[in-house]
């Protein structure tokens, strides 16, 4: 592609991100043409600084409006009409994550709701709202439902905290809306399998392990996993588990058995003798009773699974069951891996609160499918930049009421990126004199407060 020769410096916006962050973006230019990539850099710059993440709000934040700049419709066409692939962009971001991965690449898959208004917006419908719902009452809301595939890792210089870096996204269109628009209907698990096959197919020599909640642990995912991908998910407490079949010669003939003897359900496993286990997960010490076994589920009797039943002794949570398609896994490995999935929920929260994942107002099909996912990819890029360069410039905020804070949150990472970018911009003006340092410090303090 022509974009491969593009320098990661936007020729359009007078406001620019710090050079070390622009260098991180350079490999992404291969999925776009040069003019498109220049517009993309301008939008990303505005995305990092804007208070509201609409297209016009972002180009205003980038100060790319007026004489000598592109017409504002060019930035709308970036998402609605330009020829570039969101999947290729996400795979290019994964290429920046690869150097941080060692061994098996851990993935997380989940769906999240982006609330919207308007009847003409493509793909909107009523979806379950987990924030407003409770155990007794399920509440739905109008908006988009996105299925997100991200990479789970502990970035350097970020402590022992897990991060989920989104790379691929799919918009789930409700069945009635798909029939009305003449589109092929695909369930959320089918969209997740599509993204897993895309990623695993591009990196056939690498082994992946996906983690998902019970919505992505059924037979529609389990029976269609790529050959180089395993799965860890939730298991029902009354799940039917079976032993390996024993092929015995029969006088009557007939096909051999597919399933062996029936094994105890996870609930029955906890009723028997269990071992006690203490794990440091979810930010606290958890003590639990654990029972485990190697079994096979009814839907896929040919694949051995490690089934783990857990009864928490602290925290007041109900008994739960999990499984892994790696039968050699220990109970500790299964539980720790599934607990790392919670970082996906944190990513969804930060992408909505800090990067305006719900705020883009495009309504056509291509604009909807490509605008909001850029917020998720920007989240991944900010974390990558902070782990590589930004941590050297991070200054913990002075909060005497919060002495236990030792690690940088995503809000701190974004504030550091903004501060370094403004500092580089101000210092390039060539300020001199006794008051120049005070001007720089005042501007940096204002940027951190705005972040």
């Amino acid at each position: 592609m022509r974009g491969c020769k593009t320098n990661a410096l936007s020729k359009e916006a007078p406001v620019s991100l710090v050079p070390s962050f622009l260098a991180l973006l350079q490999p992404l230019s291969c999925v776009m043409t040069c003019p498109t990539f220049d517009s993309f850099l301008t939008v990303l710059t505005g995305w990092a600084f804007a208070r509201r993440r609409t297209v016009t709000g972002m180009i205003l934040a980038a100060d790319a409006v007026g004489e000598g700049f592109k017409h504002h419709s060019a930035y709308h066409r970036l998402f609605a009409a330009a020829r570039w692939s969101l999947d290729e962009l996400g795979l290019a971001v994964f290429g920046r994550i690869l150097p941080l991965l060692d061994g098996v690449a851990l993935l997380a898959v989940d769906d999240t709701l982006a609330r919207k208004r308007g009847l003409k917006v493509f793909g909107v419908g009523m979806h379950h709202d987990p924030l407003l719902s409770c155990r007794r009452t399920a509440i739905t809301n109008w908006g988009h439902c996105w299925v997100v595939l991200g990479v789970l890792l502990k970035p350097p210089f970020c402590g022992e905290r897990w991060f989920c870096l989104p790379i691929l996204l799919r918009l789930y269109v409700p069945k009635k809306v798909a029939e009305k628009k003449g589109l092929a209907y695909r369930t959320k698990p089918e969209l997740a399998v599509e993204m897993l096959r895309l990623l695993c197919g591009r990196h056939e020599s690498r082994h992946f392990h996906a983690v998902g909640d019970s919505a992505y642990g059924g037979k529609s995912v389990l029976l269609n996993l790529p050959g180089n991908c395993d799965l860890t998910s939730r298991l029902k407490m009354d799940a039917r588990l079976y032993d390996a079949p024993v092929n015995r010669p029969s006088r009557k003939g007939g096909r051999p058995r597919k399933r062996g003897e029936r094994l105890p359900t996870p609930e029955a496993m906890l009723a028997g003798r269990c071992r006690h286990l203490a794990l440091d997960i979810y930010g606290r010490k958890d003590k639990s009773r654990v029972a485990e076994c190697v079994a096979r589920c009814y839907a896929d009797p040919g694949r051995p699974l490690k089934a783990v039943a857990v009864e928490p002794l602290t925290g007041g949570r109900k008994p739960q069951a999990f499984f892994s398609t790696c039968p050699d896994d220990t109970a500790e490995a299964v539980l720790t891996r599934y607990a790392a999935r919670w970082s996906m929920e944190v990513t969804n929260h930060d992408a909505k609160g800090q990067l305006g994942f719900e705020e883009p107002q495009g309504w056509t099909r291509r604009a909807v499918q490509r605008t909001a996912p850029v917020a998720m990819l920007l989240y991944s890029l900010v974390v990558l930049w902070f782990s590589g360069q930004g941590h050297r410039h991070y200054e913990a905020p002075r909060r005497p009421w919060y002495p236990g804070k030792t690690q940088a949150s995503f809000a701190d990472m974004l504030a550091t990126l903004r501060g370094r970018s403004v500092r580089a911009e101000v210092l390039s003006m060539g300020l001199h004199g006794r008051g120049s340092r005070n001007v720089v410090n005042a501007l940096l303090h204002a940027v951190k407060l705005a972040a």
Side-chain angles (χ1 to χ4, degrees), residues 356-414:
F357 177 71
E358 298 178 306
E359 296 176 6
Q361 296 181 346
W363 60 274
T364 62
R365 180 175 181 177
R366 297 187 74 180
V368 166
Q369 291 178 335
R370 298 199 293 189
T371 308
V374 173
M376 289 288 190
L377 298 181
L378 180 59
Y379 177 95
S380 302
L381 293 168
V382 171
V383 175
L384 287 174
W385 172 81
F386 186 86
S387 65
Q389 300 288 337
H391 67 274
R392 303 173 183 173
H393 311 289
Y394 170 63
E395 297 179 3
R398 298 176 182 176
R399 292 170 183 164
W401 57 88
Y402 195 4
K405 180 179 174 62
T406 58
Q407 299 178 3
S409 64
F410 178 76
D412 297 329
M413 297 178 184
L414 185 59

Side-chain angles (χ1 to χ4, degrees), residues 183-256:
L183 304 174
Y185 173 70
R186 287 177 295 174
T187 63
K188 298 176 187 177
E190 289 174 345
L191 295 175
V193 170
E194 179 182 329
M195 292 187 289
L196 286 174
R197 287 182 171 177
L198 174 62
L199 179 62
C200 297
R202 291 292 183 92
H203 301 272
E204 296 181 351
S205 59
R206 178 173 289 274
H207 194 79
F208 296 88
H209 196 119
V211 185
D213 57 17
S214 56
Y216 301 95
K219 63 180 182 180
S220 56
V221 176
L222 190 61
L223 297 178
N224 296 285
L225 282 174
N228 56 337
C229 183
D230 285 302
L231 177 67
T232 295
S233 185
R234 289 278 297 273
L235 194 65
K236 290 185 177 181
M237 293 300 293
D238 59 348
R240 291 178 293 177
L241 302 177
Y242 297 87
D243 200 354
V246 178
N247 295 325
R248 298 175 180 174
S250 175
R251 298 178 182 178
K252 298 182 180 180
R255 69 168 179 83

Side-chain angles (χ1 to χ4, degrees), residues 282-306:
Y282 299 112
R284 61 178 183 267
K285 294 285 185 179
D286 262 9
K287 295 182 179 180
S288 308
R289 294 177 65 246
V290 176
E292 57 185 304
C293 70
V294 176
R296 288 156 173 80
C297 65
Y298 184 86
D300 191 6
R303 184 195 293 265
L305 308 174
K306 171 56 72 77

